[in-house]
Amino acid sequence: MIPKGEVLRMEKKEYAKRVENASPGSPLLKNCLNAFAVGGLICTLGEGLFTLYSHFGAPEKEAAAWVCITLIFLTALLTGIGVFDKIAKHAGAGTMVPITGFANSMAAPSVEYQTEGRVLGTAVKMFTIAGPVIVYGCSAASLYGMIYYFFFRG
Amino acid sequence: MNRRGKYVVTFPSLPTVISTAACVGKTEGEGPLAEYFDIVNENDGVGSSTWERAEAALVKQAAGLAIQKAGLKTKDIDIAFAGDLLNQCTASTFGLRETEIPLAGLFGACSTFALALIMASVAVDGGLADKALAEASSHFCSAEKQFRYPLEYGGQRTPTAQRTVTGAGAAVIAKERDGVKITHGMVGRVTDYGVTDMANMGAAMAPSAARTIADFLNDTGSRPADFDMILTGDLGSVGSSLLNEVLREEYGFDISRVHADCGNLIFDAEAQDVHAGGSGCGCSASVVCSYILPKMQRKELRKVLFAGTGALMSPLTALQGDTIPAVTHAVMFCS
């Protein structure tokens, strides 16, 4: 019989071990291969676009900007029509790491929070996922810029 | 009402489930229990402009249908006990606001339906109500919005993650001779074994389920073999295997022959890509109301212990690094 008034029957550490054994891990190899393939495809598409825009006479910097704009547009479109998350489910880091991930992280909440209004819904919530990337991205860039400015500018 | 042992309450007047209704969303309607649901909404929006309103619409659908199936009008219901996962339980209160039924809102996370059944039985057995409504709901989209990411966000889920069920289940409880009886109820204790992973709620809830089931068996002097089924709410595949393991090794009860879990029953995990199974208040509510209780009504099951499991964290406590406490409430049905 179980003694009455027991508090916890197992040590938390012991339970954590049980949880680890019972929980299947993510399929790492499959995820990596998918990410490699899809991420590679997106980058190839980017290169193709770059060649295309250069072919039509865009200077290098401008062509690169147009590539970003095109990928962002495509991501926002695919997010809006509900396709992007279905690709990303399999692609993982493959869609997350390129600029597509960033674009999706802003487009998705914009769609989701429309119901709370254009200002307090869409506009405020648009940055819920991308916000930290912007904050720490800008901070890192500023820091790097200062180090470069003070120590390495010839 | 009498107390049995330390935690269990018995209902001598045997409150009876006189009708049930379960209304679900599209994915649930594509699952193994499709034929048992009363209404499968082809569109998860349920004709509403927001996901929160959609969930309230499900609540309204299920309540209306359960009352209608009992041959009653809303004014015949003396009290309703209902809850959901949204902030301030808006799905339940908004869904039932036009019914004029006195409403006691409940929160027990995903265990809410079991809690609602206990409260309704207490009300009927104690003479507070002739007819009481017990209801709970959840909606995949409103839950994702509140607890996780926007729907269109391109993230990956881990294999231990569960899918919140879009659905509502409602039952009318009354003093009557025929039907499935609610003989015992047990309100569980909050139990925390230090799990922090919000994508592994089955693991967070399993120790709580083990405790409640063991306490129930001890207090009533029964064994797992005395039941046709010991049904947990939404442990999913990972939580279910942990529950069986913990009960066997820590408490000395082997429930493997009679254990079933609503989260495993409602979806075909492989075909429907739902990872570790279903979850949410609507999971156990819709499975119990569509599948289990009607099966008992047909005497295909005679004695069932339903242990509704709930994980009690909020998005805030998770961000603040707190562990996930869980609670499990149990109800015993006999037919």
Side-chain angles (χ1 to χ4, degrees):
Chain A
M1 283 298 284
I2 308 300
K4 300 278 175 176
E6 39 82 33
V7 183
L8 293 180
R9 291 192 68 82
M10 291 172 288
E11 291 291 328
K12 285 185 180 178
K13 268 189 203 158
E14 187 197 322
Y15 184 64
K17 255 185 241 159
R18 287 188 194 279
V19 172
E20 208 185 310
N21 290 334
S23 307
S26 297
L28 271 185
L29 183 70
K30 194 181 120 200
N31 286 354
C32 287
L33 289 175
N34 283 348
F36 178 78
V38 180
L41 274 176
I42 293 172
C43 295
T44 312
L45 174 68
E47 280 297 320
L49 288 169
F50 184 80
T51 313
L52 184 75
Y53 294 140
S54 302
H55 178 74
F56 285 113
E60 195 179 318
K61 267 194 173 171
E62 217 172 278
W66 278 110
V67 171
C68 286
I69 292 168
T70 314
L71 288 177
I72 289 170
F73 169 76
L74 284 176
T75 305
L77 182 71
L78 291 176
T79 302
I81 59 174
V83 174
F84 188 87
D85 62 315
K86 294 189 174 61
I87 304 171
K89 193 173 78 178
H90 301 288
T95 43
M96 180 97 73
V97 175
I99 199 157
T100 47
F102 189 78
N104 167 254
S105 76
M106 291 192 64
S110 311
V111 175
E112 182 91 5
Y113 289 95
Q114 277 184 79
T115 46
E116 284 73 40
R118 293 273 180 273
V119 177
L120 296 179
T122 305
V124 170
K125 298 287 188 174
M126 188 183 278
F127 296 93
T128 46
I129 306 168
V133 183
I134 297 172
V135 170
Y136 291 108
C138 291
S139 308
S142 311
L143 189 70
Y144 179 80
M146 278 191 278
I147 292 172
Y148 178 79
Y149 181 83
F150 288 115
F151 298 108
F152 296 102
R153 214 164 57 116
Chain B
M1 264 162 289
N2 297 308
R3 191 159 270 280
R4 179 99 176 258
K6 190 161 165 54
Y7 302 107
V8 174
V9 173
T10 60
F11 305 116
S13 73
L14 301 177
T16 306
V17 182
I18 60 169
S19 76
T20 58
C23 304
V24 298
K26 186 166 177 284
T27 312
E28 291 68 24
E30 290 164 354
L33 301 184
E35 58 181 299
Y36 301 103
F37 298 125
D38 294 281
I39 296 177
V40 174
N41 291 281
E42 278 311 305
N43 185 336
D44 282 353
V46 202
S48 310
S49 53
T50 73
W51 299 126
E52 291 71 19
R53 284 180 197 137
E55 190 175 335
L58 282 173
V59 170
K60 193 177 171 184
Q61 255 182 6
L65 200 55
I67 294 166
Q68 188 194 331
K69 280 167 83 176
L72 301 170
K73 297 263 183 321
T74 47
K75 64 172 168 42
D76 301 323
I77 305 295
D78 300 309
I79 190 164
F81 296 94
D84 56 88
L85 294 175
L86 300 182
N87 288 336
Q88 287 76 40
C89 285
T90 51
S92 306
T93 53
F94 284 43
L96 295 173
R97 69 179 153 188
E98 284 148 19
T99 63
E100 301 276 323
I101 302 170
L103 171 67
L106 298 178
F107 183 79
C110 310
S111 71
T112 302
F113 190 58
L115 187 59
L117 286 171
I118 295 171
M119 296 314 293
S121 305
V122 166
V124 169
D125 193 62
L128 168 67
D130 283 332
K131 298 189 170 58
L133 180 78
E135 179 162 25
S137 70
S138 58
H139 194 298
F140 172 72
C141 302
S142 60
E144 287 295 303
K145 189 170 171 179
Q146 177 161 319
F147 290 96
R148 296 181 192 93
Y149 292 108
L151 290 180
E152 303 304 331
Y153 177 66
Q156 275 180 319
R157 287 162 173 268
T158 57
T160 56
Q162 290 170 252
R163 182 186 166 96
T164 306
V165 165
T166 299
V172 180
I173 318 294
K175 269 186 194 152
E176 239 157 89
R177 227 179 293 157
D178 301 321
V180 180
K181 311 288 180 197
I182 300 179
T183 56
H184 300 67
M186 176 184 156
V187 174
R189 291 172 284 167
V190 176
T191 303
D192 190 335
Y193 269 91
V195 173
T196 50
D197 185 2
M198 283 242 293
N200 198 354
M201 308 260 261
M205 297 187 289
S208 147
R211 249 177 138 187
T212 292
I213 292 169
D215 286 340
F216 189 93
L217 294 173
N218 284 326
D219 277 2
T220 55
S222 39
R223 293 163 303 143
D226 296 337
F227 296 90
D228 295 322
M229 184 185 269
I230 294 179
L231 179 75
T232 46
D234 58 347
L235 293 178
S237 53
V238 176
S240 293
S241 73
L242 280 165
L243 168 70
N244 276 280
E245 187 182 323
V246 170
L247 264 179
R248 193 177 55 239
E249 290 175 24
E250 306 289 338
Y251 295 89
F253 288 117
D254 182 1
I255 63 161
S256 58
R257 281 201 198 139
V258 290
H259 177 248
D261 182 74
C262 299
N264 293 335
L265 291 171
I266 196 164
F267 293 125
D268 180 340
E270 287 294 313
Q272 296 190 285
D273 191 30
V274 295
H275 299 238
S279 68
C281 302
C283 180
S284 56
S286 59
V287 171
V288 168
C289 289
S290 67
Y291 182 61
I292 304 295
L293 287 170
K295 222 175 160 66
M296 295 194 73
Q297 187 73 42
R298 296 192 300 271
K299 315 270 185 204
E300 290 166 32
L301 292 169
R302 305 301 291 252
K303 209 170 163 188
V304 172
L305 177 62
F306 164 45
T309 44
L312 302 170
M313 79 293 156
S314 81
L316 278 183
T317 62
L319 286 178
Q320 291 168 358
D322 277 309
T323 53
I324 304 174
V327 71
T328 302
H329 307 297
V331 185
M332 186 169 138
F333 300 116
C334 282
S335 68

